[in-house]
Amino acid sequence: MTSSTGPVPPAASSPHSTVGRGVLVSLIASVLFAVIFLLAGLLPGWGAEEIFGWRVVLTLLTLSCILPFLAWWRAEVTALAMRLRRRPTLLLLGVLAAGLVGVQLWLFMWAPLNNMALSVSFGYFLLPLTMVLAGRLFFAERLSPLRKFAVGAAALGVAHEAFSAGGLTWPTLVVCLGYPVYFVLRRKAGFDNLAAFFGELIVLLPLGIYFIIAGPHGLGAGSTLSTDGLWAAWSIGVLGGLAMAVYLLASKWLPLSLFGLLSYVEPVLLVGVSVLLGEILGWSALLTYGPILLALLFLGLDSRRGAPR
């Protein structure tokens, strides 16, 4: 698999190895995001904006420590700089992409602090379906038979949840509609790489610093800053850097439809975190998550067969 936006690591030269590596890093990202979700929910007294600020700052610092050691990082930065030099108007799309991902980063911190963790989790259940639709509409990606079965099974679970809940909450819609716009925009603009995400974080950096300073534990605040809380906030930032690095690698190495379907692993973990944080699932949830787990089974069988030719 090749990319029109820059080089890929040498180990990802064949389609089969690229898909295999993409599946692995996608699973790692899902676990890391679930840990971040849990840590955010364990920070009462902290504002979502303050945690968002720490996440932006420390994710940027973490990537600054990791990326220079990647052999292809310099080439990605050079290719992105040349692309922007040829078309400076792409900077506007980059700012828009930064705004889109910034909303998602903030919502991920806000939801577990405001008893909306299940709503956001359900948004991530819907996301693979909207990603599959985006892949078909904008990139004419084909689905293997097993992936079609996975989509059908997942759609049954999603339809039951939407019907039983009487509609979809706004956090659910922000996740399931916002992320496809973000990823389609990045691919269309040629920004589907870590160098572009690094630039998006730089755009968000002033806002992140402001939220840290103005937050409950910022300059002039009367609240005391516990060591445990500070370590949790810092851990969110560092793990966020690692998670986004491997997540965006997965988005680059995988077809958009397979990348979207693999996203089902994350909401399964997020639902578990939501229950740990005190939200309640009824027995009817089996009719939602049962078909979705079946979709994961189909997806696992499909990934063993390799990417469709």
Side-chain angles (χ1 to χ4, degrees):
M1 180 180 294
T2 59
S3 170
S4 62
T5 61
V8 296
S13 57
S14 72
H16 185 75
S17 64
T18 299
V19 170
R21 290 176 182 271
V23 169
L24 176 62
V25 297
S26 178
L27 294 176
I28 292 173
S30 294
V31 173
L32 291 177
F33 283 130
V35 173
I36 292 170
F37 205 55
L38 176 62
L39 289 175
L42 296 177
L43 283 173
W46 286 65
E49 291 76 19
E50 186 175 17
I51 303 174
F52 165 85
W54 280 112
R55 183 175 180 182
V56 168
V57 171
L58 292 173
T59 294
L60 190 60
L61 289 176
T62 302
L63 291 178
S64 297
C65 295
I66 295 173
L67 296 178
F69 294 97
L70 300 179
W72 42 271
W73 165 246
R74 187 183 299 272
E76 265 197 2
V77 173
T78 301
L80 180 62
M82 292 178 60
R83 187 174 182 83
L84 292 174
R85 188 177 304 166
R86 289 195 301 266
R87 295 182 59 190
T89 55
L90 288 177
L91 283 172
L92 297 177
L93 294 180
V95 173
L96 177 58
L100 290 171
V101 77
V103 170
Q104 300 294 342
L105 294 177
W106 167 82
L107 182 61
F108 203 76
M109 302 294 96
W110 177 88
L113 290 170
N114 291 274
N115 296 319
M116 296 295 286
L118 280 177
S119 293
V120 166
S121 301
F122 188 55
Y124 282 96
F125 274 120
L126 277 173
L127 178 58
L129 297 179
T130 55
M131 292 286 280
V132 167
L133 180 60
R136 289 289 296 170
L137 289 178
F138 294 100
F139 303 105
E141 293 181 355
R142 295 183 296 113
L143 296 178
S144 68
L146 282 173
R147 289 186 201 174
K148 290 179 181 178
F149 284 129
V151 171
L156 289 176
V158 168
H160 172 265
E161 179 65 20
F163 177 78
S164 61
L168 302 178
T169 63
W170 69 264
T172 297
L173 293 174
V174 169
V175 171
C176 72
L177 299 180
Y179 260 128
V181 173
Y182 170 67
F183 283 112
V184 169
L185 174 64
R186 294 178 97 250
R187 286 203 177 185
K188 289 291 187 181
F191 291 163
D192 57 334
N193 54 47
L194 284 172
F197 178 66
F198 193 85
E200 292 162 9
L201 287 177
I202 292 176
V203 172
L204 294 172
L205 182 60
L207 184 62
I209 294 175
Y210 168 77
F211 282 150
I212 291 173
I213 294 174
H217 305 95
L219 296 179
S223 301
T224 58
L225 183 61
S226 70
T227 302
D228 291 342
L230 186 59
W231 275 108
W234 286 0
S235 297
I236 287 172
V238 174
L239 292 177
L242 296 174
M244 287 304 297
V246 295
Y247 186 63
L248 291 173
L249 280 177
S251 76
K252 181 176 181 178
W253 288 344
L254 294 171
L256 195 62
S257 56
L258 179 55
F259 173 63
L261 286 172
L262 275 169
S263 298
Y264 274 128
V265 176
E266 181 180 341
V268 169
L269 299 176
L270 296 186
V271 167
V273 171
S274 301
V275 173
L276 287 176
L277 292 175
E279 298 197 38
I280 299 174
L281 285 176
W283 285 105
S284 64
L286 291 175
L287 297 177
T288 296
Y289 299 113
I292 289 175
L293 292 175
L294 181 61
L296 283 173
L297 175 61
F298 286 137
L299 184 59
L301 292 174
D302 183 73
S303 65
R304 293 173 63 89
R305 294 164 60 91
R309 299 296 187 266

